[in-house]
Amino acid sequence: MRALSLRSLASAVFGSVAIFASAQTFSIPADEIDITGAKYLKSSKRMLLPSVNVEVMNWGKITSVVSTSALQSLGGAKNSSARSTMEVAVPSNVAMLRGVASELYDDLATKLRAAGWEVLTYDEAKSDPILSGIKQELTDAKLGAPVRKVNLGKQKMNYTIATPPGMPAMDPGMTMPMFGLRSLLKARDTHSLETTYRFDPIAMQGERRHGIGSNTASTSAAANLALAHAQATFVTNKTAFGWVKIKSPIPVAGDVGEIKKAADVSPKVANALSEALSFLGPGGSINASKGLYIAELDEAALKANLLLAGKAFNDEIIKGLGKPQ
């Protein structure tokens, strides 16, 4: 399944939603934070911020499968299997996401300086050929941004990757991308910090049930936003590394939109979807894809809560790194 090309859908979908879930307070429990390697930061008081990544799901698919259990067979039950699959497309407003990434980058830089770090920004270091030549993620031509693909077996997701305008989305390659900056870090006597904030604006789940006479499988989704993954990875001027990250997904806000069957969305959205969802194939339309749903999100609610959760994680980064010594 290829990544969805949803840039052209954003205004149609976001503009049709009347629901608004205002940003509320959000904090990350202390026991949900994993800090590794902070002791290695003593070798410099300077921190390079090459970029930040804001990743937001643009497509998700979940499959639930159930078959006759051994216990059912022993009881004389006939073979009975069930399968349910659900796909949800989530339009991406790439410009809005880049704005969120820019605000989170500035917020992190400000908080690092307040903690006593000397911050070396991308603009201040971009003339260095090592940084300007770092390998970047490939951009999806239709979406206008790179796409991250995550496969968890029965659940698959694609994420739009947004960075501050003009800053790189660094390709992780076989190792973390900042290892390619080692000579720059040594020459400038600086550490480097790259942060990823990954969000799921929909929650998908599958259920399986073994019955007396038959088995059932079902799938469902709700427009609830979660901070699925957040990690700030650092490489020091002496090539040690470590991170501050959350241990598991954390709910951020509920009711940030609606999820509808593709055939039930407005004609304006339907026409845009039929043109953009290339995985439907030649002659395909959203009415022909029975398992496809569309998440109609409230852009204001989404943006406010992305910033709320991202800035809360920035606070945890500062706590985890500590003050320069």
Side-chain angles (χ1 to χ4, degrees):
M1 183 66 67
R2 62 175 297 176
L4 300 188
S5 301
L6 300 176
R7 175 174 51 177
S8 62
L9 306 179
S11 60
V13 174
F14 288 135
S16 66
V17 182
I19 296 174
F20 181 80
S22 60
Q24 301 175 3
T25 58
F26 174 81
S27 61
I28 300 175
D31 60 0
E32 280 293 330
I33 295 293
D34 176 29
I35 303 168
T36 297
K39 64 182 180 181
Y40 300 124
L41 294 169
K42 298 178 182 179
S43 57
S44 178
K45 297 182 179 182
R46 185 178 296 124
M47 190 72 73
L48 167 66
L49 296 183
S51 189
V52 300
N53 285 357
V54 171
E55 303 181 1
V56 178
M57 185 196 300
N58 63 38
W59 171 85
K61 180 179 181 179
I62 188 168
T63 302
S64 178
V65 180
V66 62
S67 56
T68 304
S69 67
L71 185 59
Q72 285 178 310
S73 297
L74 289 174
K78 296 181 180 180
N79 289 335
S80 173
S81 63
R83 180 186 184 92
S84 177
T85 298
M86 184 177 191
E87 290 183 63
V88 182
V90 187
S92 291
N93 184 334
V94 176
M96 183 272 285
L97 296 181
R98 285 178 177 149
V100 168
S102 183
E103 188 166 339
L104 292 179
Y105 181 95
D106 291 343
D107 178 73
L108 180 57
T110 297
K111 289 172 178 175
L112 283 167
R113 291 188 183 101
W117 291 95
E118 179 186 340
V119 175
L120 184 62
T121 66
Y122 174 77
D123 283 343
E124 293 169 332
K126 66 183 180 182
S127 61
D128 191 298
I130 296 174
L131 181 57
S132 61
I134 196 89
K135 186 177 180 181
Q136 299 189 36
E137 297 274 12
L138 296 177
T139 296
D140 181 275
K142 292 184 179 180
L143 182 61
V147 173
R148 177 95 57 223
K149 297 184 178 183
V150 177
N151 188 338
L152 301 179
K154 293 292 191 297
Q155 188 167 357
K156 300 176 176 64
M157 295 86 74
N158 290 348
Y159 293 84
T160 299
I161 303 174
T163 61
M167 295 189 193
M170 296 187 290
D171 187 335
M174 296 299 293
T175 61
M176 68 179 69
M178 290 185 299
F179 272 134
L181 302 177
R182 294 190 302 274
S183 59
L184 182 157
L185 303 183
K186 183 177 180 180
R188 299 211 175 191
D189 189 29
T190 182
H191 309 319
S192 184
L193 183 71
E194 184 197 31
T195 303
T196 294
Y197 317 81
R198 183 177 299 160
F199 294 93
D200 290 351
I202 58 171
M204 307 182 72
Q205 65 177 16
E207 293 186 358
R208 301 177 299 168
R209 291 186 179 181
H210 291 282
I212 296 176
S214 63
N215 299 318
T216 59
S218 63
T219 49
S220 62
N224 299 326
L225 179 67
L227 181 60
H229 174 69
Q231 180 165 334
T233 305
F234 61 80
V235 175
T236 74
N237 59 337
K238 298 186 180 298
T239 324
F241 68 93
W243 57 78
V244 178
K245 67 179 181 179
I246 62 172
K247 297 177 181 179
S248 58
I250 301 173
V252 178
D255 297 328
V256 293
E258 292 182 280
I259 294 179
K260 298 179 179 181
K261 290 184 178 180
D264 294 337
V265 299
S266 69
K268 183 177 181 180
V269 175
N271 290 335
L273 281 167
S274 294
E275 293 175 2
L277 299 181
S278 56
F279 67 83
L280 294 177
S285 72
I286 62 170
N287 294 321
S289 185
K290 297 180 180 179
L292 179 64
Y293 290 74
I294 309 302
E296 295 190 349
L297 304 180
D298 184 296
E299 183 174 5
L302 179 63
K303 179 179 178 179
N305 284 291
L306 294 178
L307 288 169
L308 184 71
K311 290 179 180 180
F313 183 62
N314 284 350
D315 290 337
E316 298 303 323
I317 295 173
I318 303 303
K319 294 177 188 176
L321 298 182
K323 294 182 179 296
Q325 300 180 20

